Each structure stands twice: as C-alpha cells, then as structure tokens.
Amino acid sequence: MKFGKEFASQMVPEWQEAYMDYNYLKTRLKDIQSFKRRARPPATPRGLNRKLTLYRAFSGLTLRHKRPISPSSPDIEDQPILVTSVNRDGFQRFETTFFMQADDGGEYELMYFRRLDDEFNKVDKFYKSKVKEVTKEAEILNKQMDALIAFRIKVENPQGWQWQDGSGDLTRLASDVAASTAALAASIPAGARASRRFDHMEIIEEGPSIHDESNEDQEDKESNDMKESVQVQKPVVNNLKGRPKPASLQILNRVKMNNTLATPRSTIKGVLNVPMQTELKFNRGNLKKVENKLERAFVEFYQKLRLLKSYSFLNELAFSKIMKKYDKITSRNAAKSYMKMVDNSYLGSSEKVTKLMERVEAVFIKHFANSNRSKGMNVLRPTAKKQRHRTTFSTGFFAGCTFALILALIWIIRARNIMGQEGRIQYMETMFPLYSLFGFVVLHMVMYAANVYLWRRYRVNYAFIFGFKQGTELGYREVLLVSFGLATSAIASVLSNLDMEMDHKTMDYKPFTEVIPLILVVLVFIMLFLPFNILYRSSRFFFLTCLFHCICAPLYKVTLPDFFLADQLTSQVQALRTLESYICYYGRGDFIQRETSCKTNDVFNTFGFIIAVIPYWSRLLQCLRRLLEEQDPVQGYNGLKYFVTIVALCLRTAYNLNRGLGWEVVAIIFSVAAAIIGTYWDLVHDWGLLQRHSKNRWLRDKLLIPRKSVYFGAMVLNVLLRFAWLETLFNFKLFDLHAQTWITIVASLEIIRRGMWNFFRIENEHLNNVGKYRAFKSVPLPFNYDEDEDKDD
C-alpha cells in the first residue's frame, strides 16, 4: 500500500483537518517535476537508450566518500534552504528561506516550501494544544486519585489512623510502598528510565500528594529538563524516608460524591433542585462505584494519549516522506536540514505524551489491576477484533439458504396454485400479518448492515458516535449473519405453515403449525434477553438499555443512541401493531380456526392508536427534556414536529376505521403538514443539506461521498418515500393486491427511507465532530472538589 493511502487510513477521523495535507504537497511536487521535464533539454541522441552512467569515468573499487554538508555548516550558501524560528502574535512559527529562487522553476519550489511551512505550523500548533489539554486532565486525575486513596483508607479502617499507636502499621505500609515502587521501577525498561526527563503524573502512592509541590508546567518552559526532573523526584524519596504516612484524610473534607448516573431518581431530584453532590458515605459499595468511574476515566485518558502519540508519529513520518520525494525530484539535499528542524520542534522533541503514558500504565496496573501488568494492559490496550472466517462463511451460508427458500416458496405457490384457492383471503387476513413482522425486522437489519458498510468505507466513526465499547461494535458481516439467520428461520416456518386446508372432521387447523410464528417470536425474545456471553451479548444489552431509556423517556438523560433508536421505532409502527396482533390472535384462541375477530374489538382498536403513537410520544418527550436541559429552541421545534406527526397518525388510523369524507379531509391536511415539516427537518437539520451559500451549492461544505448526484438523488427519494402514506388514504389500485400487501409495502418503503436517513444523519454528526476536533467523550468523575464549585460560581 502506498504511504498516502496508509497515512489516510491511520488518521483519527475527527482530526483529519489537523493532519499534514500530504496529497496537496504531492500535487505541488508533481508541478515541480512537470516543469523540470518540460525545461530539461534532450540529454542523449534520439536513438540512444543507454543510461549516461554507463559512460561515466570509472571511480574505482574503493569509494571516496565525500563529507556530507552539515546543516550547521558555515557555508550557508551551499545549502538550498534555511529554516528559522520566529514569534508572531505570541506563537512560535517556523519559516523556510529558499536560496535557489533564481534557478529554473524556483518559484514552484518556493510555493512548495511556503505550503510545507503552513502545514508544519498547523500540525505543531494543534499538537501543542492537545498536549496542554491532556496535561490539565492529568492534574485533575491526580486530585481524583488522592481522594480515591483517602476514600479507600477510610473504608478499610473506618476508625481512622492512630498515629501514636500505629507505628507497626505505618512501618508495614512504608515497606509496602517501597516494595511497590521498586517493582514498578523494575518493570520500566532501562532505556526509558535513562531517557526520562520529566514526569507529569507521579505514581500515586498511599502517601502525601506531591503534585502541588511540583512545578512541571514551569519546568517544561525551561530547558533544564534533566535537572528539574531530579528536583521533582526528590520530595518523594524524602517523604517516604522522613514521613512514611498514608495519604492525608483531610482531603475528604473538601470533596463530595458526584451523582452523575442519569436515572429517574436523579431526574426527579433535578426537577426539585436537589444538589447533585452528596456527602461521602464510606462503604464498599461506594468504593466500587468510585473505582469503576476512575477506571473508565483512566482508560479513556490513555486512549487519548495513544492517539496523540500516533498523531505525532504519523505527521513526522509524513514530513520525512515528502521531503525525500522533494530531494529525489529536485536532486537537492534539503531533507536533512528540514527534518532536523522537525526533530527539534515541539512535535518531534516533546516527550510529555510518552511519559504520561508510562505513568498512567503504572498507576492503572497498581490501583485497578491488582499489580497484574498483563491484565492492566489488556484493559488499556484492548486487542482489535479479528474478522473470523467462520462469520463470513456462516453469513454466506444463511444468505444462500434465505434465497433458496424464497425460490422454493415462490415455486410451491405457483405449483399448487395457492393464490387461487379459497383460503387465500383468510390466510392474508390472519397469518400473513404475523409473518410480516419478521420481514420488517430483517429488512431493517439489512439496511443497518448497509449503513455500517458505507460508514466504514467513508471512515465515519460510528462506534464513537454511538458510544460503543471499544471492540464490541458489530461489523456489517455480523449484522447480516443475524438478519439472514432470522430470515431463514422465518421463511422455513412459512413453508411449514402454508397448508390452507382444515380438518373436515374437526373444522380446525393443525395446532402445531398454527403456533409456529408464536414459537419463533418467543425464541427471538429469549435470545434477545439471554444473559450468557454468547450471540453478541454486549450489543444486545446495549440495545435493550437504549430501548428501556426510550420507554422511560424523559426520566433518563437523552443521548444520541437513545433518540436514534426512538427514530428507528417511528419507522416500525406497523411491526409494533403486528405484536399487538400476536397477543390478540393467540390470546383469544383464534389461531385454532384461523379466524381473527381482533379488528372488531374496541379494546384492540384503542390499543392500535396507543401503540402507533408510542414511538413518536417517546421522541416528543426526549425533545422536551433536551429543551429544558440545553435551553435550545431547536429542540422545541423538533418536538412540535413530532406532535403534528402524532395528530396526523391518529387521524389516519381513525379514517381507516371510520371511513368518511370529514375524517379523510382532516387526515390529509395534517398528514401533508407533518410530511412537509418532516421532510424539511430531514434535509436541513438532520442531514445538514440545502445550504444555499455552500461551496457545494444546495448541499453542504463538506461531503464524504465524492459524487454530488448521490445527495440530490437521496433528497428526491426521501421526499417520495415520505409521501408513500398517500396510498393508505386514496387506495391507489395500481395492482390487484390485497390490502395487507399494500400495508406491508408501504411499511417496507418507510424502513428503506429510514435506512437511507441513517447514513446521512450519522455522516452529518461525524462532520460536526470533525469540525470541532471532538474525538473523545467526556467521562464523569466520581469526586467534586469544593474549589471546583467556587470556580463554577
């Protein structure tokens, strides 16, 4: 793979614009190369194909090495470039002076170096800002660890430490601290210890905190790194020798527990203006919660450090590659001088991130992995999920079974002339709606698999957007495996239940074949709630958690996975109504004679209204909660959209039950209004399109798909599918199909529209993250300091 493609594949998606623009610089080099080819006179006769090196004088078997020109050589005129550091507007910038402007094509090379300097200064500035951020986070984690250690001591010894009578305990504690320090020091390679110049985050021992005594931020601004690192470490040794005491418990007087868990109880407290910080309660349950929160914070912090280290390495490598290409094209020796500047810059010389990673590893292994290095590193650096061949094979196997069973079903229907038998209408009224449930679910899963494939192809970080735990997100192969497995089971049950003839003696159908759909639904729910670590348990539980939050809206804090799932449910209204049909059909015993009396039941019709409204009502409540929390009027307008949709849906349902001109007119008015508002919201707010002054007219500035026609086609298709409900009002008889067939087709078109909506909605969210360089989610911390509250005030 060429470096350009490898470079793009290794980028942090949300930081794409902060990386060096390697492709543009390659374009500038191609311009230089093209000019030199045009300006270069023919070096050899037309018929001579031998290389000129074959005619050069023989230099001998013993090579005479010429002494290379040093970048610091006093003969500055012999070098093509000179890189200097200047301060402008309070920022350090690097500028390259090109001495060969008088040469042919010198203006092209001058433009190349100007753009190269711009790219390097951009990368260096971004890296500095991110290192500054992680340094501040390290200081916060220092305070959190101080509070954790004091909290742990208080739980282990509620009576407190007896300084006068506890000399034996203190001696043992000091020896444990010394032993753990020696073990951690031995685990660090000798080379890393020799090259260590400073520590941002000391190993947090059960001793007094030293982060207040260190001036690492000031030390980093000075040049004597080695000397200052010794000064930082000395207080640790002195404290351990002179005062081997555990962490001071005084810190617990200044901290409170953060109640960051978004639960109905916390929501009610928020409405009643009850403080979210609670007094400390020293018990093992709270200690476990604190440790879990801090463990998550350290894991997220470590991932941020890893990405920063990768960012630095990739950009340094990119500058090295591009300068080598420049030297090759121009036959100059500029790469050495420029790369020396890169190595001496903050990007190339700062070891803050590396040292922070070492300290985080040491702290995490000791405090959260019981000093088990392999266990701790497995948590900090989870292995990437490997694609298994059996997953691909199983997906292909079930896909083949699905298509084979579909062909078999079509052949049986035509061979037995089932569509011409008397039981056809009865079958479509009773059994067909039950089996359509599986069709809706499978179609939605196939659309989601297509979304995942496209998100990965266009480097949309959907796992970060949805908040999946690293390594647990499902790929499109896994989603297709589940969907085709369910499709195979459903179609096989259809074939076993295709007999439309009843027993003439008992006037009943075979009970076993009639309950096959119910058995299949029960099996699906059992697999969904299965607590064992099989069948993608983490993904199943993530889905169930989001579903529970949707049901309990607005009692839970609204996150993107929650309202995204609620939007999916709004496209599965017909599937939810089918679940109601299962309860009525089998609960009333109609399955014995394959007759349904549900539609004439008032209770069934009433629940039909309620079930159809539930997804939209949940979405409305989510919008209202976000309106109260974020004070964003856009959420109010979004909630109004769902309210109009609820009214339109109820009116359409009422019209289908009570045919009449009045119901029809009112249903059409509200349905058209809901469709127009929904279409506008899809295109403008959810997809971020229809921007008149965008550089991509009527689209948006940034597009992941290179072909603009895809976006225009998607907008037109979204409008058409939005108005597919017109068939339910006007009953277009385009084909001689049963009413249940039309209902299924319209519901399937809505699922297809939702699948298309999913891709552009997450694409827009991803581009918003890219614009804000947002590659990490904030992790709630367990403790809140009193001084933090003072700062907030």
Side-chain angles (χ1 to χ4, degrees):
M1 181 183 294
K2 292 185 177 180
F3 176 75
K5 293 183 179 179
E6 182 69 21
F7 183 59
S9 65
Q10 295 294 329
M11 289 181 181
V12 179
E14 289 76 14
W15 294 350
Q16 289 179 10
E17 295 185 358
Y19 283 83
M20 186 190 81
D21 195 344
Y22 185 80
N23 290 330
Y24 180 80
L25 291 175
K26 278 184 62 178
T27 304
R28 305 300 302 182
L29 289 180
K30 288 180 180 179
D31 293 340
I32 298 173
Q33 189 177 30
S34 299
F35 177 83
K36 289 186 175 296
R37 285 179 178 176
R38 292 194 304 267
R40 183 182 302 164
T44 58
R46 182 176 297 274
L48 187 61
N49 293 326
R50 287 172 173 267
K51 294 182 178 179
L52 290 178
T53 54
L54 297 177
Y55 301 99
R56 290 178 183 172
F58 183 61
S59 59
L61 296 178
T62 304
L63 297 178
R64 298 181 180 89
H65 296 283
K66 293 184 179 181
R67 185 176 181 180
I69 299 175
S70 173
S72 59
S73 174
D75 299 330
I76 214 81
E77 294 82 2
D78 295 336
Q79 301 183 37
I81 63 171
L82 175 65
V83 186
T84 57
S85 174
V86 296
N87 288 322
R88 290 186 179 177
D89 300 329
F91 295 101
Q92 183 185 27
R93 291 178 56 85
F94 294 92
E95 293 183 355
T96 302
T97 303
F98 182 59
F99 296 121
M100 306 297 179
Q101 298 184 37
D103 294 354
D104 292 338
E107 62 276 9
Y108 288 97
E109 297 181 52
L110 179 62
M111 293 300 297
Y112 163 78
F113 278 109
R114 286 182 179 176
R115 184 55 186 262
L116 184 67
D117 290 341
D118 291 339
E119 292 298 318
F120 180 79
N121 290 321
K122 175 189 72 175
V123 171
D124 192 61
K125 181 180 178 181
F126 179 82
Y127 184 69
K128 282 183 180 178
S129 65
K130 289 300 176 183
V131 171
K132 186 177 180 181
E133 288 181 12
V134 297
T135 304
K136 291 181 178 179
E137 291 185 34
E139 294 175 358
I140 295 174
L141 288 177
N142 274 337
K143 293 183 178 181
Q144 294 289 323
M145 285 301 300
D146 288 340
L148 169 64
I149 294 170
F151 193 94
R152 185 182 292 163
I153 293 173
K154 193 71 174 177
V155 171
E156 297 293 340
N157 190 356
Q159 302 300 325
W161 293 93
Q162 301 297 328
W163 301 106
Q164 293 79 11
D165 302 329
S167 58
D169 294 335
L170 295 178
T171 303
R172 286 194 297 272
L173 178 64
S175 63
D176 292 342
V177 170
S180 63
T181 305
L184 289 172
S187 66
I188 300 175
R193 293 198 301 270
S195 62
R196 177 172 304 163
R197 295 186 291 176
F198 45 77
D199 292 333
H200 289 272
M201 194 162 147
E202 298 298 328
I203 301 177
I204 301 178
E205 308 288 354
E206 284 79 3
S209 173
I210 65 165
H211 66 267
D212 292 332
E213 302 175 11
S214 63
N215 289 330
E216 293 177 2
D217 291 339
Q218 298 176 4
E219 293 167 357
D220 294 335
K221 298 177 183 177
E222 303 176 5
S223 60
N224 300 326
D225 291 333
M226 180 65 72
K227 179 179 178 181
E228 290 161 353
S229 65
V230 175
Q231 294 175 357
V232 173
Q233 294 178 1
K234 281 184 179 179
V236 182
V237 179
N238 294 336
N239 287 336
L240 289 176
K241 289 183 179 179
R243 191 164 59 110
K245 295 180 181 179
S248 174
L249 302 184
Q250 300 294 329
I251 195 173
L252 297 178
N253 299 329
R254 298 186 292 113
V255 298
K256 295 181 180 179
M257 291 281 289
N258 273 334
N259 187 11
T260 55
L261 186 62
T263 60
R265 183 180 178 182
S266 64
T267 301
I268 296 173
K269 285 185 177 181
V271 174
L272 299 177
N273 293 323
V274 178
M276 299 302 291
Q277 289 81 27
T278 59
E279 298 296 332
L280 297 179
K281 295 181 180 180
F282 303 102
N283 55 59
R284 295 192 178 275
N286 284 340
L287 176 61
K288 188 67 175 177
K289 292 179 182 179
V290 169
E291 290 177 341
N292 290 336
K293 288 183 178 180
L294 269 181
E295 180 179 349
R296 287 182 54 203
F298 268 92
V299 171
E300 190 70 19
F301 182 65
Y302 189 78
Q303 298 307 317
K304 188 178 299 186
L305 295 176
R306 289 184 65 189
L307 292 185
L308 266 179
K309 187 175 181 180
S310 173
Y311 174 85
S312 173
F313 171 77
L314 282 176
N315 280 288
E316 288 184 66
L317 185 59
F319 282 107
S320 175
K321 291 283 186 181
I322 204 67
M323 286 305 300
K324 287 181 180 179
K325 286 182 178 292
Y326 170 81
D327 283 357
K328 183 177 180 181
I329 291 173
T330 61
S331 300
R332 304 192 192 278
N333 189 23
K336 190 173 182 180
S337 299
Y338 201 89
M339 290 311 299
K340 183 177 181 181
M341 178 275 296
V342 173
D343 293 338
N344 293 332
S345 67
Y346 191 88
L347 177 70
S349 63
S350 175
E351 296 183 1
K352 283 188 175 183
V353 174
T354 303
K355 299 307 177 183
L356 269 175
M357 291 179 68
E358 291 179 5
R359 307 319 301 156
V360 170
E361 290 173 5
V363 171
F364 190 87
I365 290 169
K366 177 182 177 183
H367 289 277
F368 302 103
N370 197 21
S371 298
N372 187 333
R373 182 173 181 81
S374 61
K375 178 183 176 182
M377 294 307 296
N378 287 336
V379 177
L380 290 175
R381 298 190 179 192
T383 56
K385 185 172 60 175
K386 297 181 179 179
Q387 290 290 344
R388 298 182 177 179
H389 295 295
R390 67 181 182 185
T391 301
T392 305
F393 171 79
S394 302
T395 302
F397 174 76
F398 282 113
C401 291
T402 299
F403 292 118
L405 289 173
I406 291 175
L407 293 177
L409 181 62
I410 296 174
W411 181 80
I412 291 175
I413 291 175
R414 294 181 63 86
R416 296 170 58 180
N417 193 25
I418 291 179
M419 300 303 294
Q421 295 184 12
E422 295 180 358
R424 177 177 67 90
I425 303 298
Q426 189 178 11
Y427 185 90
M428 293 299 296
E429 293 287 343
T430 55
M431 302 304 298
F432 182 79
L434 302 181
Y435 284 116
S436 65
L437 171 65
F438 302 104
F440 298 145
V441 175
V442 170
L443 178 60
H444 210 138
M445 294 180 69
V446 170
M447 294 301 298
Y448 178 71
N451 292 149
V452 171
Y453 172 79
L454 293 174
W455 289 331
R456 288 192 172 184
R457 178 178 178 181
Y458 293 105
R459 292 182 54 76
V460 175
N461 196 357
Y462 71 96
F464 166 72
I465 293 173
F466 288 126
F468 294 137
K469 187 178 179 181
Q470 187 176 9
T472 62
E473 68 276 8
L474 296 183
Y476 69 94
R477 291 184 180 88
E478 289 84 357
V479 179
L480 287 177
L481 173 61
V482 176
S483 59
F484 284 132
L486 180 60
T488 300
S489 303
I491 299 175
S493 64
V494 170
L495 289 174
S496 65
N497 197 9
L498 206 57
D499 188 6
M500 296 185 182
E501 296 180 0
M502 65 175 64
D503 190 339
H504 296 288
K505 295 182 179 179
T506 61
M507 300 301 293
D508 293 339
Y509 288 85
K510 297 179 180 179
F512 178 74
T513 58
E514 293 302 303
V515 298
I516 286 179
L518 180 62
I519 294 174
L520 191 57
V521 170
V522 172
L523 289 177
V524 169
F525 276 96
I526 290 176
M527 289 187 291
L528 187 62
F529 289 92
L530 203 63
F532 305 111
N533 192 16
I534 56 175
L535 298 174
Y536 312 117
R537 182 180 65 175
S538 60
S539 298
R540 289 188 287 110
F541 282 14
F542 184 87
F543 169 79
L544 292 174
T545 301
C546 295
L547 181 62
F548 184 73
H549 290 176
C550 293
I551 295 173
C552 297
L555 298 179
Y556 284 91
K557 183 177 178 62
V558 182
T559 59
L560 188 142
D562 296 339
F563 68 74
F564 186 84
L565 178 60
D567 282 326
Q568 308 306 304
L569 295 177
T570 59
S571 297
Q572 287 285 4
V573 170
Q574 192 57 40
L576 297 177
R577 284 175 168 170
T578 304
L579 286 176
E580 181 193 12
S581 300
Y582 268 91
I583 297 174
C584 179
Y585 185 69
Y586 289 101
R588 295 171 61 91
D590 294 343
F591 69 97
I592 297 177
Q593 297 182 348
R594 193 178 283 180
E595 293 181 353
T596 178
S597 58
C598 296
K599 293 184 178 180
T600 60
N601 190 292
D602 294 336
V603 177
F604 178 85
N605 293 330
T606 302
F607 273 95
F609 279 90
I610 297 174
I611 290 176
V613 166
I614 285 177
Y616 296 96
W617 180 253
S618 174
R619 195 67 187 88
L620 172 62
L621 295 178
Q622 289 176 344
C623 291
L624 294 178
R625 165 143 187 172
R626 294 187 66 184
L627 175 63
L628 294 176
E629 287 184 344
E630 303 172 11
Q631 298 298 316
D632 186 3
V634 174
Q635 298 301 326
Y637 300 142
N638 196 17
L640 181 62
K641 178 194 72 172
Y642 287 106
F643 177 77
V644 175
T645 306
I646 289 173
V647 175
L649 186 62
C650 291
L651 291 174
R652 286 209 301 269
T653 306
Y655 169 72
N656 290 329
L657 296 176
N658 308 297
R659 295 283 178 172
L661 181 60
W663 284 109
E664 182 177 8
V665 171
V666 176
I668 290 176
I669 292 174
F670 276 90
S671 296
V672 169
I676 293 175
I677 296 173
T679 302
Y680 170 81
W681 201 271
D682 288 344
L683 303 182
V684 176
H685 290 274
D686 292 338
W687 294 2
L689 303 177
L690 292 181
Q691 297 181 12
R692 183 177 179 182
H693 300 291
S694 170
K695 64 181 182 181
N696 300 307
R697 192 168 178 81
W698 296 114
L699 298 177
R700 62 170 109 87
D701 290 338
K702 298 178 183 179
L703 303 174
L704 294 183
I705 301 177
R707 295 184 179 180
K708 300 179 184 178
S709 58
V710 174
Y711 292 91
F712 289 108
M715 286 192 288
V716 173
L717 187 59
N718 183 76
V719 173
L720 294 177
L721 295 180
R722 269 284 186 182
F723 287 88
W725 51 265
L726 289 173
E727 196 283 330
T728 60
L729 292 178
F730 296 104
N731 294 323
F732 300 125
K733 297 298 182 180
L734 301 178
F735 303 97
D736 187 17
L737 297 176
H738 192 272
Q740 286 294 336
T741 305
W742 276 116
I743 292 175
T744 303
I745 291 174
V746 172
S748 300
L749 291 177
E750 170 59 21
I751 294 173
I752 293 173
R753 188 199 69 82
R754 180 60 63 183
M756 182 180 64
W757 179 89
N758 290 343
F759 173 79
F760 295 104
R761 175 65 181 87
I762 300 302
E763 178 203 24
N764 189 37
E765 184 71 19
H766 170 75
L767 292 176
N768 290 335
N769 291 339
V770 170
K772 300 176 181 177
Y773 300 111
R774 187 169 51 201
F776 307 97
K777 292 186 180 296
S778 59
V779 179
L781 296 174
F783 297 110
N784 182 66
Y785 278 75
D786 292 340
E787 55 262 30
D788 296 337
E789 292 182 355
D790 297 337
K791 291 179 182 179
D792 294 338
D793 296 338

